[in-house]
């Protein structure tokens, strides 16, 4: 057991260089410091390797046949799935503009050939330590998302609810043309929006409807509880308004803050649309599931009455119609 606790995964480094001799030399050097180095000779091979097993760091040559190192770096940094992997550009060019290109492509650092071993080790060590911190944050988020799913599991009527919300909310964000950070926040919000219900007793959570005034006051605290749990993670700053405000109504009748139209941030309004749709379309203890067309009419009427963002309701059903046509 002690070995399991104290052992650490060997950190992996992807070396991308079309000069085999240079690449093998880097692999041998990295191996002397205990790193696991994988060598590929082109951007296309690098992309395949990253899809199979994302490395902890990439050492990337600038000049290669086909796609250049600059182009590959820019694509990796534009992709939310790979943008946090540190990239060190390696070049034999000394021109000031070449270093500027590396910075503009999003490179985290750069080295000049011939590579100084001690300089390389210093930069690799520093960037890998930063990657460790990033991975720890992602692990913490994963734990919170798992807690969100555990809350869902307490109610058999909401099975799959978080996953559907995560998918539909992020899809709606893309349909609206929101930036990548907002889309990631919506995906996480799908899992974390009701995390605060972890503090709601089962007898209230599973009651579903006809709550007493005292029980309702307890239920209305769950957005605040969820926000409090997630607040220490700065990486969830865009998710916090989703957690706190997804039960607000445009007419001010929602909770916990009684916000009105113009006061509710966009991301909570996006998630609440898909949340309401999912609730209408699934069986709950207090109601049957209703068909898609009836759900659309219900939500349109409620939006006109001041509960939801009418424009977002229209965009959501336009997205669903487009999805059905494609399918």
């Amino acid at each position: 057991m002690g070995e399991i606790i104290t052992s650490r995964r060997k950190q992996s480094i992807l070396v991308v260089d079309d000069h085999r001799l240079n690449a093998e030399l880097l692999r041998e050097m990295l191996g002397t410091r205990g790193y696991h180095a994988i060598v590929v000779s082109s951007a296309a091979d690098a992309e395949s390797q990253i899809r199979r097993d994302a490395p902890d760091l990439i050492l990337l040559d600038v000049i290669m046949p086909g796609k250049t190192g600059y182009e590959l770096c820019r694509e990796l940094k534009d992709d939310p799935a790979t943008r946090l992997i540190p990239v060190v550009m390696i070049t034999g060019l000394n021109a000031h503009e070449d270093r500027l290109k590396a910075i503009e492509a999003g490179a985290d650092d750069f080295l000049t050939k011939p590579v100084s071993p001690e300089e390389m080790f210093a930069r690799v060590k520093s960037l890998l330590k930063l990657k460790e911190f990033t991975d720890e944050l992602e692990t913490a988020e994963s734990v919170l998302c798992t807690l969100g799913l555990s809350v869902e599991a307490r109610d058999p009527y909401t099975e799959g609810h978080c996953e559907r919300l995560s998918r539909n909310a992020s899809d709606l964000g893309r349909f609206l043309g929101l930036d990548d950070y907002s889309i990631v926040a919506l995906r996480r919000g799908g899992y974390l929006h009701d995390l605060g219900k972890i503090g709601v007793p089962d007898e209230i959570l599973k009651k579903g409807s006809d709550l007493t005034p005292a029980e309702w006051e307890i239920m209305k605290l769950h957005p605040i509880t969820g926000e409090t749990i997630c607040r220490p993670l700065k990486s969830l700053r865009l998710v916090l308004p989703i957690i706190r405000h997804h039960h607000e109504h445009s007419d001010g009748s929602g909770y916990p803050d009684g916000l009105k139209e113009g006061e509710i941030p966009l991301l909570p309004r996006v998630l609440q649309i898909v949340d309401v749709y999912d609730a209408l379309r699934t069986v709950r203890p207090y109601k049957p599931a209703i068909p898609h067309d009836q759900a659309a009419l219900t939500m349109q009427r409620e939006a006109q009455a001041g509960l939801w963002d009418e424009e977002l309701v229209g965009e959501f059903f336009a997205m669903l119609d487009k999805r059905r046509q494609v399918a």
Side-chain angles (χ1 to χ4, degrees):
M1 178 65 75
E3 290 181 3
I4 295 175
I5 292 174
T6 57
S7 64
R8 298 181 63 186
R9 179 182 66 85
K10 186 180 289 188
Q11 291 173 302
S12 65
I13 298 175
L14 179 63
V15 179
V16 189
D17 194 329
D18 63 316
H19 293 284
R20 194 72 187 181
L21 189 60
N22 292 343
E24 290 296 339
L25 179 60
L26 287 174
R27 174 156 61 182
E28 290 178 13
M29 290 166 57
L30 292 165
T32 65
R33 296 295 178 95
Y35 299 119
H36 173 58
I38 301 166
V39 170
V40 297
S41 58
S42 69
D45 290 341
E47 290 167 337
S48 298
Q49 177 61 36
I50 292 166
R51 284 193 295 269
R52 282 194 302 271
D53 187 14
D56 295 298
L57 183 142
I58 300 171
L59 297 179
L60 178 58
D61 191 29
V62 169
I63 306 300
M64 294 184 294
K67 188 180 294 183
T68 68
Y70 296 132
E71 292 170 323
L72 176 59
C73 181
R74 186 174 293 107
E75 291 175 5
L76 291 172
K77 292 302 183 179
D78 285 342
D79 186 343
T82 55
R83 63 166 48 130
L84 295 179
I85 301 174
V87 176
V88 179
M89 305 287 289
I90 300 179
T91 176
L93 305 174
N94 290 309
H96 178 66
E97 55 266 27
D98 293 303
R99 293 195 172 200
L100 286 178
K101 282 184 182 178
I103 295 171
E104 290 170 355
D108 298 273
D109 212 333
F110 49 84
L111 293 167
T112 303
K113 296 178 181 178
V115 174
S116 161
E118 293 309 316
E119 183 181 6
M120 180 186 71
F121 290 138
R123 299 190 182 197
V124 164
K125 182 179 179 180
S126 176
L127 288 171
L128 285 175
K129 179 60 68 175
L130 182 61
K131 181 64 163 57
E132 279 186 15
F133 293 147
T134 301
D135 289 345
E136 287 174 6
L137 286 175
E138 290 183 340
T139 300
E141 290 173 8
S142 297
V143 169
L144 289 175
C145 288
T146 302
L147 280 175
L149 291 173
S150 73
V151 171
E152 175 186 272
R154 292 167 65 193
D155 185 350
Y157 288 92
T158 58
E159 182 180 1
H161 174 69
C162 288
E163 186 174 344
R164 290 191 298 272
L165 256 62
S166 180
R167 182 180 67 252
N168 283 333
S170 55
D171 283 353
L172 181 53
R174 291 188 192 91
F175 188 78
L176 294 170
L178 302 186
D179 60 69
D180 290 340
Y181 295 104
S182 296
I183 292 168
V184 170
L186 288 168
R187 187 175 71 244
R188 292 170 175 165
Y191 289 102
L192 296 173
H193 69 292
D194 276 341
L195 178 62
K197 286 183 178 178
I198 199 168
V200 178
D202 277 354
E203 59 269 23
I204 296 177
L205 187 64
K206 296 180 179 181
K207 193 173 182 180
S209 62
D210 299 324
L211 297 178
T212 67
E215 290 171 336
W216 184 237
E217 289 305 312
I218 292 173
M219 179 64 81
K220 289 196 294 185
L221 290 175
H222 82 264
I224 299 173
T225 303
E227 181 193 37
T228 301
I229 292 171
C230 294
R231 187 181 295 121
L233 283 179
K234 291 182 179 179
S235 57
L236 294 179
R237 68 189 186 282
L238 293 181
V239 184
L240 297 182
I242 297 175
I243 296 171
R244 185 174 183 105
H245 298 308
H246 71 280
H247 283 299
E248 302 287 357
H249 295 163
S250 296
D251 62 1
S253 64
Y255 64 89
D257 301 310
L259 301 184
K260 296 182 179 180
E261 184 177 5
E263 299 174 333
I264 308 171
L266 174 61
L267 297 187
R269 284 185 279 133
V270 170
L271 188 115
Q272 70 179 189
I273 297 301
V274 301
D275 192 11
V276 172
Y277 177 77
D278 195 76
L280 292 172
R281 295 280 286 127
T282 54
V283 175
R284 297 293 169 90
Y286 50 90
K287 68 163 208 60
I290 66 174
H292 168 82
D293 291 342
Q294 187 178 343
L297 289 174
T298 299
M299 291 182 65
Q300 287 162 2
R301 285 198 298 267
E302 291 177 344
Q304 290 169 0
L307 291 183
W308 325 121
D309 184 315
E310 191 170 358
E311 183 178 353
L312 284 181
V313 169
E315 294 287 351
F316 176 62
F317 284 101
M319 181 195 77
L320 293 183
D321 288 344
K322 184 176 180 180
R323 184 191 289 174
R324 291 162 77 182
Q325 291 170 8
V326 171

